[in-house]
Coordinates of all heavy atoms in Angstrom, one line a residue:
D2 N 29.1 86.1 13.9 CA 30.4 86.5 14.2 C 30.6 86.6 15.7 O 31.8 86.6 16.1 CB 30.8 87.9 13.6 CG 30.8 87.7 12.1 OD1 31.0 86.7 11.5 OD2 30.6 88.9 11.4
L3 N 29.5 86.6 16.5 CA 29.7 86.8 17.9 C 29.9 85.4 18.6 O 29.3 84.5 18.3 CB 28.4 87.4 18.5 CG 28.4 88.1 19.9 CD1 29.5 89.2 19.9 CD2 27.1 88.6 20.1
A4 N 31.0 85.4 19.5 CA 31.2 84.1 20.1 C 30.0 83.7 20.9 O 29.4 84.5 21.6 CB 32.4 84.3 21.1
P5 N 29.7 82.4 21.0 CA 28.6 81.9 21.7 C 28.6 82.4 23.3 O 27.5 82.7 23.8 CB 28.6 80.4 21.7 CG 29.3 80.2 20.4 CD 30.4 81.3 20.2
A6 N 29.8 82.3 23.9 CA 29.8 82.7 25.3 C 29.4 84.2 25.4 O 28.8 84.6 26.4 CB 31.2 82.4 25.8
T7 N 30.0 85.1 24.5 CA 29.7 86.4 24.5 C 28.2 86.7 24.3 O 27.5 87.5 25.0 CB 30.6 87.2 23.5 OG1 31.9 86.9 23.7 CG2 30.2 88.7 23.5
R8 N 27.7 86.0 23.4 CA 26.2 86.1 23.1 C 25.4 85.7 24.3 O 24.5 86.4 24.7 CB 25.7 85.2 21.9 CG 24.3 85.4 21.5 CD 24.0 84.5 20.3 NE 24.8 84.8 19.1 CZ 24.7 85.9 18.3 NH1 23.6 86.7 18.5 NH2 25.5 86.1 17.2
R9 N 25.8 84.6 25.0 CA 25.1 84.2 26.2 C 25.2 85.2 27.4 O 24.2 85.6 27.9 CB 25.6 82.8 26.7 CG 24.8 82.2 27.8 CD 25.4 80.8 28.3 NE 26.8 80.9 28.7 CZ 27.8 80.5 28.0 NH1 27.7 80.0 26.7 NH2 29.0 80.6 28.4
R10 N 26.3 85.8 27.5 CA 26.5 86.8 28.6 C 25.7 88.1 28.3 O 25.0 88.6 29.1 CB 28.0 87.1 28.7 CG 28.8 86.1 29.5 CD 30.1 86.6 29.9 NE 30.9 87.2 28.9 CZ 31.7 86.5 28.1 NH1 31.8 85.2 28.2 NH2 32.4 87.1 27.1
L11 N 25.6 88.5 27.0 CA 24.9 89.6 26.7 C 23.3 89.3 26.9 O 22.6 90.2 27.4 CB 25.2 90.0 25.3 CG 26.5 90.7 25.0 CD1 26.7 90.8 23.4 CD2 26.5 92.1 25.7
A12 N 22.9 88.1 26.5 CA 21.5 87.8 26.6 C 21.1 87.9 28.1 O 20.1 88.3 28.4 CB 21.2 86.4 26.0
E13 N 21.9 87.3 29.0 CA 21.7 87.3 30.4 C 21.7 88.6 31.0 O 20.8 89.0 31.8 CB 22.8 86.4 31.2 CG 22.7 84.9 30.9 CD 23.9 84.2 31.4 OE1 24.9 84.8 31.9 OE2 23.9 83.0 31.2
H14 N 22.6 89.6 30.6 CA 22.7 90.9 31.0 C 21.5 91.7 30.7 O 20.9 92.4 31.4 CB 24.0 91.6 30.6 CG 24.0 93.0 30.8 ND1 24.4 93.5 32.1 CD2 23.7 94.1 30.1 CE1 24.3 94.8 32.0 NE2 23.9 95.3 30.9
Y15 N 21.0 91.5 29.4 CA 19.9 92.4 28.8 C 18.5 91.7 29.1 O 17.5 92.4 28.8 CB 20.1 92.7 27.4 CG 21.2 93.7 27.1 CD1 22.4 93.3 26.7 CD2 21.0 95.0 27.5 CE1 23.4 94.4 26.6 CE2 21.9 96.0 27.3 CZ 23.1 95.6 26.9 OH 24.1 96.6 26.7
A16 N 18.4 90.5 29.7 CA 17.1 89.8 29.9 C 16.2 90.7 30.6 O 15.0 90.8 30.2 CB 17.4 88.5 30.5
P17 N 16.5 91.3 31.8 CA 15.5 92.1 32.5 C 15.1 93.3 31.7 O 13.8 93.6 31.8 CB 16.2 92.5 33.8 CG 17.5 92.0 33.7 CD 17.8 91.1 32.4
F18 N 16.0 93.9 30.9 CA 15.6 95.0 30.2 C 14.7 94.6 29.0 O 13.7 95.3 28.7 CB 16.8 95.8 29.6 CG 17.7 96.1 30.7 CD1 19.0 95.5 30.9 CD2 17.5 97.2 31.5 CE1 19.9 95.9 31.8 CE2 18.4 97.6 32.5 CZ 19.6 96.9 32.7
N19 N 15.0 93.5 28.4 CA 14.1 93.0 27.3 C 12.7 92.6 27.8 O 11.7 93.0 27.1 CB 14.7 91.8 26.6 CG 16.0 92.2 25.8 OD1 16.1 93.3 25.3 ND2 16.9 91.3 25.6
A20 N 12.6 92.1 29.0 CA 11.4 91.7 29.6 C 10.5 92.9 29.8 O 9.3 93.0 29.5 CB 11.5 90.9 30.9
D21 N 11.1 94.0 30.4 CA 10.5 95.3 30.6 C 10.0 95.8 29.2 O 8.9 96.3 29.1 CB 11.4 96.3 31.3 CG 11.6 95.9 32.7 OD1 10.9 95.1 33.4 OD2 12.6 96.6 33.3
L22 N 10.8 95.8 28.2 CA 10.4 96.3 27.0 C 9.3 95.5 26.3 O 8.4 96.1 25.7 CB 11.7 96.4 25.9 CG 11.5 97.1 24.7 CD1 11.0 98.5 24.9 CD2 12.8 96.9 23.9
E23 N 9.4 94.2 26.5 CA 8.2 93.4 26.0 C 7.0 93.7 26.7 O 5.9 93.8 26.0 CB 8.7 91.9 26.1 CG 9.6 91.4 25.1 CD 10.1 90.0 25.2 OE1 9.9 89.4 26.4 OE2 10.5 89.4 24.3
D24 N 7.0 93.9 28.0 CA 5.8 94.3 28.7 C 5.3 95.7 28.2 O 4.1 95.9 28.0 CB 6.1 94.4 30.2 CG 6.2 93.0 30.8 OD1 5.8 92.0 30.2 OD2 6.8 92.9 32.0
L25 N 6.2 96.6 28.0 CA 5.8 97.9 27.6 C 5.1 98.0 26.2 O 4.2 98.6 26.0 CB 7.0 98.9 27.6 CG 6.9 100.3 27.2 CD1 6.0 101.1 28.2 CD2 8.1 101.0 27.0
L26 N 5.8 97.1 25.3 CA 5.3 97.1 24.0 C 4.2 96.0 23.8 O 3.6 96.0 22.7 CB 6.5 96.8 22.9 CG 7.6 97.8 22.9 CD1 8.7 97.3 22.0 CD2 7.1 99.1 22.5
D27 N 4.0 95.2 24.7 CA 3.0 94.1 24.6 C 3.2 93.3 23.4 O 2.3 92.9 22.7 CB 1.6 94.7 24.7 CG 0.5 93.7 24.9 OD1 0.7 92.7 25.6 OD2 -0.7 93.8 24.4
R28 N 4.5 92.8 23.3 CA 4.8 91.9 22.2 C 6.1 91.2 22.5 O 6.9 91.7 23.3 CB 4.8 92.6 20.9 CG 6.0 93.6 20.8 CD 6.2 94.1 19.4 NE 6.8 93.1 18.6 CZ 7.2 93.3 17.3 NH1 7.1 94.4 16.8 NH2 7.7 92.3 16.6
D29 N 6.4 90.1 21.9 CA 7.7 89.4 22.0 C 8.6 90.1 21.1 O 8.3 90.5 20.0 CB 7.5 87.9 21.6 CG 6.7 87.2 22.6 OD1 6.6 87.5 23.8 OD2 6.0 86.2 22.2
L30 N 9.8 90.1 21.5 CA 10.9 90.7 20.7 C 11.8 89.6 20.1 O 12.1 88.6 20.7 CB 11.8 91.6 21.5 CG 11.1 92.8 22.2 CD1 11.9 93.5 23.1 CD2 10.6 93.8 21.0
P31 N 12.1 89.8 18.7 CA 12.8 88.7 18.1 C 14.2 88.3 18.8 O 14.5 87.1 18.7 CB 13.0 89.3 16.7 CG 12.5 90.6 16.6 CD 11.9 91.0 18.0

């Protein structure tokens, strides 16, 4: 249901946070 442009902006915004979380958890996130 999420517009592709909105999904892309959210992914870009949260990318650094997700990278930190992946490092902390030592795993890839879905």
Side-chain angles (χ1 to χ4, degrees):
D2 296 335
L3 201 57
T7 302
R8 185 178 301 280
R9 186 179 59 256
R10 284 194 307 273
L11 287 169
E13 290 168 1
H14 174 78
Y15 286 105
F18 304 106
N19 288 332
D21 288 345
L22 187 56
E23 287 180 333
D24 287 343
L25 180 68
L26 300 176
D27 193 28
R28 67 169 289 184
D29 292 332
L30 298 171

